[in-house]
Amino acid sequence: AQRVTQPEKLLSVFKGAPVELKCNYSYSGSPELFWYVQYSRQRLQLLLRHISRESIKGFTADLNKGETSFHLKKPFAQEEDSAMYYCALNLNTGGFKTIFGAGTRLFVKA
Amino acid sequence: DTEVTQTPKHLVMGMTNKKSLKCEQHMGHRAMYWYKQKAKKPPELMFVYSYEKLSINESVPSRFSPECPNSSLLNLHLHALQPEDSALYLCASGQGGNQPQHFGDGTRLSIL
């Protein structure tokens, strides 16, 4: 079955601490994975996609097919990183379906 | 134009009313989506249109009726809604594959 799992509902860290938001997926096809972020009172927006292998706002995410994971990492968290983060999987079917994880709320304390 | 525009931003309606939500994108995306999002929950897929045809209906009650008049527009017609239908309704567009979805700001719907 196709599934995206984010095991932590809430992650609270101090400013300047490293942060890792976990994402595991289950999919028999070739995964197309994304991290989306929803800041307070803002629209849901793309943060990262695995294919571009870039760093956005200091965040990186590496696809590990062996562990079926796509964890989001940042070495030094900032207060403005506080938001809701969703891991998502595009299914390679004709229906253009995306499966979202349950989300992790990141709270960065001063 | 890299935005998805949704109107109205807020909507309050009674259970016997008929109203419509509208969504527009001019990025040439071949797929458009309706999601329902409750507070502190992920978006929940309702419908997908691909190439202007309904390709996915996630067993949504018939009181929600989608329509795709052309490749840039997506409507969601509402009739006889229930209080539990109160939520943020998000529209998105995308190309599928390794491309992300682009989301609108949503319509916050309250059913009295």
Side-chain angles (χ1 to χ4, degrees):
Chain A
Q2 303 124 354
R3 190 168 57 245
V4 175
T5 304
Q6 293 179 250
E8 303 130 335
K9 283 189 176 180
L10 173 66
L11 191 59
S12 183
V13 300
F14 282 102
K15 176 182 170 182
V19 64
E20 182 180 48
L21 286 75
K22 290 184 168 46
C23 172
N24 287 89
Y25 66 92
S26 173
Y27 184 48
S28 57
S30 182
E32 302 291 352
L33 286 154
F34 305 83
W35 277 99
Y36 289 87
V37 61
Q38 196 167 27
Y39 300 104
S40 179
R41 296 192 181 87
Q42 292 189 28
R43 65 178 62 188
L44 190 60
Q45 58 188 284
L46 175 71
L47 179 64
L48 282 178
R49 49 181 171 163
H50 90 269
I51 196 159
S52 55
R53 303 178 66 83
E54 58 194 344
S55 173
I56 303 291
K57 298 185 179 183
F59 284 96
T60 59
D62 289 318
L63 175 61
N64 185 323
K65 289 189 178 181
E67 295 183 359
T68 59
S69 69
F70 187 55
H71 302 328
L72 183 68
K73 299 177 185 179
K74 185 169 182 177
F76 308 104
Q78 302 299 313
E79 289 179 77
E80 55 265 29
D81 296 329
S82 295
M84 194 74 181
Y85 291 81
Y86 294 101
C87 183
L89 168 68
N90 274 10
L91 303 184
N92 293 323
T93 63
F96 298 91
K97 187 171 180 177
T98 296
I99 294 178
F100 284 84
T104 297
R105 180 164 294 283
L106 175 63
F107 181 56
V108 181
K109 298 175 283 190
Chain B
D1 187 352
T2 58
E3 280 207 346
V4 174
T5 305
Q6 288 188 245
T7 55
K9 292 193 183 303
H10 302 275
L11 180 61
V12 180
M13 57 187 286
M15 288 191 284
T16 57
N17 291 157
K18 284 185 182 182
K19 295 285 185 184
S20 297
L21 309 185
K22 296 186 184 305
C23 175
E24 192 167 359
Q25 60 94 7
H26 294 288
M27 293 173 277
H29 289 162
R30 53 190 174 182
M32 294 186 76
Y33 307 76
W34 280 115
Y35 291 89
K36 174 182 179 181
Q37 188 178 29
K38 291 279 203 180
K40 297 184 169 55
K41 296 290 187 183
E44 181 185 333
L45 183 64
M46 299 174 71
F47 303 103
V48 182
Y49 273 81
S50 55
Y51 302 102
E52 302 171 47
K53 290 190 179 355
L54 183 65
S55 59
I56 296 176
N57 175 343
E58 293 285 275
S59 303
V60 179
S62 60
R63 56 186 185 268
F64 295 92
S65 175
E67 178 196 19
C68 188
N70 60 54
S71 60
S72 300
L73 293 175
L74 187 66
N75 298 321
L76 186 63
H77 302 298
L78 315 172
H79 174 55
L81 295 194
Q82 304 297 308
E84 62 266 26
D85 298 323
S86 297
L88 182 67
Y89 287 83
L90 297 173
C91 176
S93 69
Q95 292 283 73
N98 60 19
Q99 300 301 310
Q101 291 184 29
H102 295 246
F103 286 85
D105 285 327
T107 294
R108 189 159 299 282
L109 178 65
S110 298
I111 307 300
L112 301 178

